[in-house]
Amino acid sequence: MEKFSIKNIEKINSLNSELEVEKASNLFLKLRVLAKENESYKVLRKHLSKLIKDYEDKNWSNKENITNEQIEESDLAENIVQAENTFYSRRKEIIRKKLKESGLNQTDLAKILGHRKGYVSELINGIRPFSKDDLIIINRLFKIELENLIPTFIKEDKVIHIRKTLKSIPKNRIRLTKKDIELNLENYVAQHRI
């Protein structure tokens, strides 16, 4: 379950890392546009704003206590969210281009996928994750390569799990470099410059 999925936002009591703050800030900005069409997003934005403020008051208000590690974590979190945004923006452009070439619009795509228009807008804007079925349908109908539809970066919690597991396997022959695991988002950005 994705912590920053629209349906889970109101369940979040606190932010616990710089990455969570960046994700919350990013979602807060994305919801600004959608809030003009749907009042319920204003409530989510207000909740996100409070979570961000609480975290920053706790972790950044005393300048004397800010560490280099904290700054590095913040910079890395910003880079990760920026890379995710680059992926979602590129995917959005590709889908819109294919819709236009096909003489279709977002409402038509919503009908094809069996979703309401607003829900498809959330999917395309990276606010909600596409289901596997949705992505396969888009891939087959519009001939969009799966690497342009499915993010291939590894989430932070999975990276930690992979590292621990590989260390615990005695005859493990897999050797993943730091670059293989941590910088896969940056590699994606470098390969797919917009």
Side-chain angles (χ1 to χ4, degrees), residues 51 68 169 191:
L51 291 170
N68 285 338
I169 301 172
Q191 293 171 4

Side-chain angles (χ1 to χ4, degrees), residues 116-128:
R116 59 181 171 73
K117 182 185 177 204
Y119 188 84
V120 169
S121 177
E122 293 169 1
L123 295 173
I124 288 176
N125 286 299
I127 293 172
R128 286 188 189 264

Side-chain angles (χ1 to χ4, degrees), residues 164-178:
K164 285 181 181 177
T165 303
L166 288 176
K167 285 180 182 177
S168 72
I169 301 172
K171 296 184 180 184
N172 168 34
R173 292 187 183 150
I174 296 174
R175 297 291 176 250
L176 295 177
T177 66
K178 184 177 180 180

Side-chain angles (χ1 to χ4, degrees), residues 5-192:
S5 171
I6 290 289
K7 62 185 177 188
N8 295 327
I9 297 299
E10 291 182 296
K11 297 174 189 172
I12 301 172
N13 295 321
S14 65
L15 301 176
N16 302 310
S17 70
E18 292 298 321
L19 183 58
E20 288 185 359
V21 171
E22 282 298 324
K23 286 183 179 252
S25 298
N26 184 54
L27 185 55
F28 177 81
L29 292 173
K30 285 182 178 180
L31 291 175
R32 181 178 54 113
V33 175
L34 296 175
K36 294 175 184 174
E37 299 171 15
N38 185 334
E39 289 287 319
S40 67
Y41 294 132
K42 289 181 181 179
V43 173
L44 296 178
R45 289 187 82 230
K46 186 174 182 178
H47 183 64
L48 286 168
S49 178
K50 182 187 180 319
L51 291 170
I52 295 164
K53 183 181 180 329
D54 290 349
Y55 182 90
E56 289 180 350
D57 287 348
K58 180 181 175 187
N59 296 286
W60 290 91
S61 62
N62 187 343
K63 293 180 183 182
E64 293 173 11
N65 291 339
I66 296 173
T67 65
N68 285 338
E69 289 97 18
Q70 189 177 354
I71 293 169
E72 288 173 13
E73 181 187 350
S74 178
D75 290 345
L76 178 60
E78 188 176 326
N79 288 337
I80 289 170
V81 171
Q82 184 178 12
E84 289 175 347
N85 284 339
T86 299
F87 173 83
Y88 295 129
S89 177
R90 180 170 164 74
R91 179 174 71 184
K92 177 180 172 177
E93 286 179 28
I94 291 169
I95 292 172
R96 285 187 169 166
K97 180 181 176 192
K98 290 292 187 173
L99 284 170
K100 188 175 181 180
E101 289 172 1
S102 303
L104 301 173
N105 60 34
Q106 204 166 294
T107 303
D108 298 323
L109 180 60
K111 289 177 187 174
I112 291 167
L113 297 176
H115 300 308
R116 59 181 171 73
K117 182 185 177 204
Y119 188 84
V120 169
S121 177
E122 293 169 1
L123 295 173
I124 288 176
N125 286 299
I127 293 172
R128 286 188 189 264
F130 276 101
S131 72
K132 180 178 132 187
D133 289 341
D134 289 342
L135 292 172
I136 291 170
I137 291 167
I138 292 170
N139 163 260
R140 300 262 170 97
L141 286 177
F142 301 107
K143 310 299 184 244
I144 300 172
E145 294 180 31
L146 286 174
E147 72 177 22
N148 291 319
L149 295 173
I150 300 171
T152 57
F153 29 87
I154 303 171
K155 294 185 179 184
E156 186 178 30
D157 59 333
K158 291 291 183 185
V159 169
I160 293 166
H161 169 76
I162 291 168
R163 280 189 178 147
K164 285 181 181 177
T165 303
L166 288 176
K167 285 180 182 177
S168 72
I169 301 172
K171 296 184 180 184
N172 168 34
R173 292 187 183 150
I174 296 174
R175 297 291 176 250
L176 295 177
T177 66
K178 184 177 180 180
K179 187 176 179 180
D180 290 332
I181 294 178
E182 291 180 348
L183 301 179
N184 49 34
L185 279 170
E186 292 173 20
N187 290 340
Y188 178 86
V189 172
Q191 293 171 4
H192 297 88

